[in-house]
Amino acid sequence: MDLRINFSGRSIRYTEEEIAVVAEAMRTAEPLTQGHYMQEFEAAFARYQNVPQGSCFTMMNGASALELSAQLCCFKPGDEVVMPSHTFTASAYPYIKKGAKIAWCDVDLHTHVVTARTIEKAMTPQTRAVVVVHLYGYVADMPEIVDLCRERNVLLIEDAAQAIGAEINGQKAGSFGDMGTFSFHSHKNLTTLGEGGMLYVRDPALWSIVPMVRHNGHCAYSFERKDYWKPAMGNVDMPMLGDMMLQPNNYSLGEVECALGTKLLERIDAINDAKRERALRFIDGMADWPELEFLREESRRHNYHLLVARMTSGQEKRDAFMRAMYEEKGIKCVVQYIPLNRYDYYRKLGLGSADCPNGDLFYDTMISFPFQLWMSDEDFDYMLTSAREVMASLA
């Protein structure tokens, strides 16, 4: 069997202009981290998100953005965080590391993301925060979720790792909550040479704190120095949030990656729109087989980071479809995001039980198609034709 279309871990190919920006940053950046390219990327990202300047902070990846958001929550013993079981593991373990207990909530079977109803069902008097994951690039119903979290006086964090550029009612994913996290991993629609991330923080009182927490606790001295070398360099200190002292990290993103991120923001909408157009073409091309259920969204509420479907006739037929696509057509589809409560790590922590039937059912019957932007039109058409032929053969 010859593999014609792989499920690639790389989402986009860089343009010559983007490559030139990287080369220029390699030549000129001084220093190679924490410099003006970082400042430009943070400012450009805030403009793109339509949030205040100074509220966005580059991170070395999406997981570090989540870890810093968890640290800023200042969890106390017994605090709980509500989040979906159907997500990538990095959505959850940062909050466990910072002292919170996870309360799993379910997702909507058709949209694959949480709703205010599924969140509310998992809430208790111990709920300190809610993490909403805009999985696959589709924005959850944030207006309703914002109202719920305000009513319950809990922190709201958006994991928008897969949803850059997606929006609802004209407002970008990651800008609704108290904090928003983004990933620029190799597989994302915007990727900064393999890794990268961003943290949005709504509260201006925290904006001066985040750079210290991100970069080893470095800060200026509180007094004027007669000689710049005494004491050496700068101070190291960490602020108190309430009765808790924050701890330092090194989550800095390099200048080359920041320069590339700023440049890529110029075409992220075009990337998302191109992927959405292709996704709709594929979904409409499979309309003769409604048992292969897709989420069809024409608006920018979905950036189609991934192209996923559910085989409503069950796991056996899902497996037969994937096997035929791979063995007969040379197309590698995958299954993604095991519900986290099924992993050994979370079981060992006592988090192996979850009342999330929709998340379980979707995972057990889902198919994720290869959907890298750089796939040729010829290969894309071949994948669509192949999917139609395999479904016809399984009828």
Side-chain angles (χ1 to χ4, degrees), residues 11 59 66 82 92 135-136 180 203 211 213 228 265 282 285 358:
S11 61
M59 298 286 154
L66 284 157
V82 174
L135 205 62
Y136 306 112
D203 186 356
V213 183
Y228 69 84
L265 279 174
F282 193 91
N358 288 342

Side-chain angles (χ1 to χ4, degrees), residues 83-137:
M83 71 173 58
S85 62
H86 180 61
T87 184
F88 184 61
T89 182
S91 299
Y93 70 73
Y95 298 92
I96 295 171
K97 289 171 68 175
K98 300 305 178 185
K101 181 181 178 181
I102 302 298
W104 304 121
C105 71
D106 208 356
V107 296
D108 178 82
L109 184 58
H110 183 60
T111 65
H112 326 135
V113 296
V114 297
T115 67
R117 184 184 62 81
T118 64
I119 292 169
E120 187 173 25
K121 185 179 178 182
M123 283 179 154
T124 73
Q126 287 71 48
T127 301
R128 165 68 174 159
V130 168
V131 176
V132 173
V133 185
H134 303 303
L135 205 62
Y136 306 112

Side-chain angles (χ1 to χ4, degrees), residues 74-306:
C74 295
F75 296 117
K76 296 181 179 179
D79 283 348
E80 294 179 353
V81 176
V82 174
M83 71 173 58
S85 62
H86 180 61
T87 184
F88 184 61
T89 182
S91 299
Y93 70 73
Y95 298 92
I96 295 171
K97 289 171 68 175
K98 300 305 178 185
K101 181 181 178 181
I102 302 298
W104 304 121
C105 71
D106 208 356
V107 296
D108 178 82
L109 184 58
H110 183 60
T111 65
H112 326 135
V113 296
V114 297
T115 67
R117 184 184 62 81
T118 64
I119 292 169
E120 187 173 25
K121 185 179 178 182
M123 283 179 154
T124 73
Q126 287 71 48
T127 301
R128 165 68 174 159
V130 168
V131 176
V132 173
V133 185
H134 303 303
L135 205 62
Y136 306 112
Y138 182 77
V139 186
D141 190 347
M142 291 310 299
E144 284 194 4
I145 294 171
V146 168
D147 288 345
L148 172 65
C149 290
R150 287 177 178 168
E151 176 187 323
R152 298 295 186 93
N153 194 30
V154 301
L155 293 169
L156 173 58
I157 300 104
E158 293 176 79
D159 180 346
Q162 300 186 359
I164 183 171
E167 60 186 47
I168 182 171
N169 300 333
Q171 186 172 344
K172 293 285 197 298
S175 68
F176 289 87
D178 297 288
M179 289 175 272
T181 68
F182 300 83
S183 170
F184 309 134
H185 178 265
S186 174
H187 205 213
K188 303 302 190 291
N189 287 6
L190 188 157
T191 174
T192 50
L193 295 175
E195 290 287 0
M198 191 75 70
L199 172 67
Y200 161 70
V201 179
R202 178 177 296 277
D203 186 356
L206 300 175
W207 295 353
S208 62
I209 293 173
V210 173
M212 297 168 61
V213 183
R214 171 181 61 187
H215 188 44
N216 302 299
H218 288 311
C219 57
Y221 288 104
S222 60
F223 55 87
E224 187 174 340
R225 292 179 290 177
K226 179 180 178 181
D227 298 314
Y228 69 84
W229 62 90
K230 292 191 302 187
M233 302 179 71
N235 197 11
V236 171
D237 195 6
M238 289 305 297
M240 299 289 294
L241 275 186
D243 58 359
M244 185 177 295
M245 177 182 284
L246 298 176
Q247 298 300 318
N249 312 276
N250 187 353
Y251 294 153
S252 301
L253 185 64
E255 287 289 272
V256 172
E257 290 85 352
C258 290
L260 177 59
T262 303
K263 185 64 177 176
L264 278 168
L265 279 174
E266 296 177 4
R267 69 174 178 118
I268 185 59
D269 287 342
I271 290 171
N272 290 346
D273 291 346
K275 293 193 76 172
R276 186 182 310 104
E277 181 181 357
R278 265 192 170 180
L280 294 174
R281 184 149 61 93
F282 193 91
I283 292 167
D284 292 344
M286 298 302 298
D288 291 338
W289 291 275
E291 66 184 300
L292 193 61
E293 180 185 85
F294 294 85
L295 174 57
R296 191 184 189 283
E297 177 60 56
E298 294 185 3
S299 77
R300 285 186 168 175
R301 185 170 179 175
H302 207 326
N303 72 4
Y304 284 97
H305 161 63
L306 294 170

